[in-house]
Amino acid sequence: IYDAEIYANNMSVLELPVHTISDRETVQLGSIEVEAIHVPGHSSDSLVYRIGKALFTGDSLMAGKIGSTDSELSKALLLRSILDKLLVLDETCLIFPGHGPPTTLRAEKIFNPELLMAVRHRKT
């Protein structure tokens, strides 16, 4: 219906052309600046989009859990991506996942069991 522009880190989405975007690259959409953060694991091309203190995480990070993965290696990659790229952001950032209720980075640092285990494991 709409002639929308698609931004992704793949060359095409559903055989539609896209504007490729890389990790930490920003795009200006009118007066809104959007930063793409590559968070592989749930899928190899997963991106989180940050607008100010809002994180649109899709299936990478949700309230109380992380996204599903198809292997332990993918799960480790997802956890590392979340720890290194998302949990370092301001903990008042709001998370808007693809499924479930919104949350905050602070709440996930305190209550997300998979992130808690990953942080403990990293410290040892």
Side-chain angles (χ1 to χ4, degrees):
I1 297 172
Y2 302 103
D3 190 23
E5 294 185 34
I6 301 170
Y7 290 84
N9 60 0
N10 286 332
M11 298 300 278
S12 69
V13 173
L14 301 173
E15 299 182 22
L16 298 170
V18 303
H19 297 280
T20 55
I21 188 166
S22 302
D23 185 38
R24 301 297 182 175
E25 188 175 343
T26 59
V27 175
Q28 197 70 33
L29 301 175
S31 63
I32 299 171
E33 184 175 272
V34 181
E35 178 185 16
I37 304 171
H38 186 218
V39 183
H42 174 69
S43 66
S44 62
D45 60 349
S46 291
L47 291 172
V48 168
Y49 293 102
R50 184 182 69 79
I51 301 173
K53 289 189 175 185
L55 300 173
F56 297 87
T57 59
D59 292 345
S60 298
L61 179 60
M62 295 158 275
K65 62 183 179 175
I66 65 169
S68 62
T69 58
D70 60 6
S71 70
E72 287 300 313
L73 181 60
S74 293
K75 182 177 181 178
L77 180 59
L78 178 56
L79 284 167
R80 180 175 154 195
S81 298
I82 292 169
L83 294 175
D84 292 347
K85 294 183 176 184
L86 300 182
L87 294 188
V88 297
L89 300 173
D90 185 330
E91 65 182 18
T92 63
C93 283
L94 295 170
I95 296 171
F96 297 99
H99 307 278
T103 183
T104 65
L105 280 179
R106 178 168 169 72
E108 295 313 301
K109 285 180 180 180
I110 295 170
F111 299 114
N112 189 309
E114 292 178 283
L115 295 181
L116 289 169
M117 284 179 47
V119 168
R120 272 192 227 118
H121 182 265
R122 183 176 263 192
K123 288 180 181 178
T124 58

